[in-house]
Amino acid sequence: MASPTMFSSPSSILSFSYSSITSTTPTITSTTPKPSQQPLFPLLASSKQILTKLTAAAAIATIITAAPAPSIASSEPSYRVYYGTAASAANYGGYGGNSSKKDSAEYVYDVPDGWKERLVSKVEKGTNGTDSEFYNPKKKSEKEYLTFLSGFRQLAPKDAVLNNLALSDVDLQDLIANAESLTSEEVKDDQGQLYYVYEIDGVGTHSLISVTCAKNKLYAHFVNAPTPDWNRDKDMLRHVHESFKTVGSY
């Protein structure tokens, strides 16, 4: 005999179904995407800084390119020519004031621009034969000067000439006596005129001397400088030393 079919009440069915649906339905959470963590304005500011640096770099490059390269010649010292007359003490100051020093010059040498002339007294000219002198106003012991003696037709041996010059120059005596090195040589110019050239490296002082005979006179040109100034200006001082010539030999 068949078992009778059992039906639950509609309310229980509905109740079960609703509870089952409610308990098993997954919870769906709607998540709104967050905006980027990097704000817009700092990015813009950073871009402006980069552009500013690039603009500045371009401007500097333009200035450097447009600026003229420094001239090597402009850094080199300039000189003026001094015309020496080797006048006697009696005629010191010119020949009646009407003579041109250039026309009556017996010797020439270069003087660095900015150097000052020291006026030589008649007494000094008459005793040791100093004819002219120029010095660096920033360092007065850096200087060049010329002495002359009459009555010399030709040069004596090199050692004798230097010793005779020292007889009337106390500073030269001390320089020679305390010299760390002393060299001498004979040099002829393009006219065949003979010059004795001396270089003395003393204690704290450097000296270049050039001696020659012309017109029955002995001319001695001196370039002296303290060692620190010599180390700094040696190229200029050698130029001054080598520029000395008697008139007619250059």
Side-chain angles (χ1 to χ4, degrees), residues 73-162:
S74 63
S75 61
E76 296 179 353
S78 54
Y79 308 89
R80 65 186 186 278
V81 178
Y82 176 77
Y83 298 92
T85 58
S88 65
N91 294 322
Y92 180 65
Y95 301 93
N98 298 319
S99 177
S100 164
K101 290 193 69 174
K102 184 175 181 179
D103 294 339
S104 59
E106 294 187 9
Y107 66 88
V108 295
Y109 58 72
D110 288 350
V111 178
D113 281 347
W115 281 33
K116 304 295 183 183
E117 181 175 8
R118 184 182 73 82
L119 296 179
V120 179
S121 68
K122 284 188 176 183
V123 174
E124 190 176 4
K125 182 181 284 287
T127 54
N128 58 19
T130 301
D131 190 62
S132 58
E133 181 175 321
F134 289 83
Y135 64 92
N136 183 350
K138 297 179 180 178
K139 188 73 173 181
K140 291 186 177 181
S141 53
E142 185 178 22
K143 61 185 178 180
E144 66 173 321
Y145 62 96
L146 183 133
T147 64
F148 76 96
L149 297 171
S150 299
F152 289 83
R153 293 185 178 181
Q154 63 182 12
L155 291 170
K158 292 194 299 292
D159 293 342
V161 167
L162 188 61

Side-chain angles (χ1 to χ4, degrees), residues 41-55:
F41 291 111
L43 287 176
L44 291 175
S46 177
S47 299
K48 288 182 179 179
Q49 290 176 355
I50 294 173
L51 289 174
T52 301
K53 291 179 180 179
L54 290 174
T55 303

Side-chain angles (χ1 to χ4, degrees), residues 33-40 43:
K34 293 184 179 181
S36 172
Q37 298 299 318
Q38 298 293 333
L40 178 60
L43 287 176

Side-chain angles (χ1 to χ4, degrees), residues 183-195:
T183 61
S184 63
E185 62 177 329
E186 298 181 6
V187 177
K188 288 187 177 181
D189 65 11
D190 55 0
Q191 301 296 320
Q193 183 165 338
L194 178 64
Y195 291 81

Side-chain angles (χ1 to χ4, degrees), residues 7 25 29 32 39 63-64 74 80 83 85 109:
F7 294 97
T25 301
T29 303
T32 303
I63 293 172
I64 293 175
S74 63
R80 65 186 186 278
Y83 298 92
T85 58
Y109 58 72

Side-chain angles (χ1 to χ4, degrees), residues 154-186:
Q154 63 182 12
L155 291 170
K158 292 194 299 292
D159 293 342
V161 167
L162 188 61
N163 290 331
N164 287 334
L165 289 174
L167 292 176
S168 59
D169 190 331
V170 177
D171 291 336
L172 181 56
Q173 291 179 28
D174 293 340
L175 185 61
I176 295 173
N178 300 298
E180 295 182 356
S181 67
L182 193 161
T183 61
S184 63
E185 62 177 329
E186 298 181 6

